[in-house]
Structure formats: structure tokens, C-alpha cells
Amino acid sequence: MEQVGYIKGDASLDAVFAALSDPTRRAILTRLAAGEASVNEIAEPFDMSQPAVSKHLKVLERAGLIMRGSDRQRRPAKLNAAPMKEAVAWLEEFRKFWSSSFDQLDTLLDELKNTENWEK
């Protein structure tokens, strides 16, 4: 059964949101925004094993949010923010909706104030 409003081809967007749903992965992306880093460098501030960090990196890599280099055995990770652009564009549509809804509410409240003032 097809979901209402689901657009075929949204798999990459689904992968981005799934990757971003975990606070550890978001923290890793924040770290990589400062520059590329090895698994050991990324794992340092976390209370988890290097293999656990590697699993998070694989999720981020499958979502296209990071790229892994090959500097001999180091394989540094580097941020690739391009896939987030699609996620931001998708969220922007909801910002427009909420902004419009708040504008309508402001208009209604102004009308109610004016009606109250007129009745007094």
C-alpha cells in the first residue's frame, strides 16, 4: 500500500533523516564540520568502542553525508553536506506552512481585538 504524499525517489531523503535521527551521528557530523578526521579521532569524545563509531560512520556514508578517503590505513571521514540541502528544502515547505498559519492567527487575533474594542 502506497503512503499518502509519498514520492517515489525519496529514498535518499529517508536515508538522510534516518542518519540524522541519532544524536551520536549528529555529533559526528558536527565534528566533521570542523574538518576531516580518522575513526580514532571521531571516537575520542564518545563513550563507545571504535567498531560502534565505525557503524555510525557507515550509516552516514550510506546516506551520503560523509565521504571516506584512503590515506593508507587511516581512511579519514569528511563531511558531505550536499544531501542535507534536500532535507532542508523539504523542511522549508513546512516552515512556510507554519509561517502562513501564524500570520493567519495574528490576523484573526487583531480582528478579535478590534471587535472587542468596538463593542466597548
Side-chain angles (χ1 to χ4, degrees):
M1 179 175 195
E2 187 171 279
Q3 294 176 345
V4 177
Y6 185 79
I7 302 170
K8 288 185 180 178
D10 278 354
S12 62
L13 186 58
D14 293 346
V16 168
F17 280 118
L20 294 175
S21 70
D22 184 274
T24 300
R25 291 192 287 267
R26 291 191 305 270
I28 290 170
L29 291 174
T30 299
R31 164 56 185 90
L32 292 176
E36 71 177 35
S38 68
V39 174
N40 287 333
E41 292 167 336
I42 293 168
E44 191 175 298
F46 298 105
D47 186 23
M48 65 176 65
S49 67
Q50 183 181 342
V53 170
S54 290
K55 287 181 182 181
H56 284 293
L57 291 174
K58 286 178 186 174
V59 171
L60 292 168
E61 191 172 16
R62 280 194 302 268
L65 294 169
I66 66 167
M67 297 179 288
R68 303 287 300 272
S70 57
D71 179 9
R72 295 187 185 173
Q73 294 181 342
R74 188 169 170 253
R75 291 203 68 219
K78 180 179 177 182
L79 178 67
N80 178 30
M84 284 190 252
K85 185 176 181 180
E86 185 181 352
V88 168
W90 186 85
L91 290 169
E92 180 67 18
E93 290 302 315
F94 288 93
R95 188 198 64 77
K96 289 176 187 176
F97 167 78
W98 284 111
S99 179
S100 173
S101 295
F102 287 134
D103 290 346
Q104 291 172 5
L105 180 59
D106 285 342
T107 301
L108 177 62
L109 291 173
D110 287 342
E111 289 173 6
L112 289 173
K113 281 182 186 177
N114 290 335
T115 302
E116 281 182 14
N117 290 338
W118 184 76
E119 290 176 354
K120 286 182 180 179

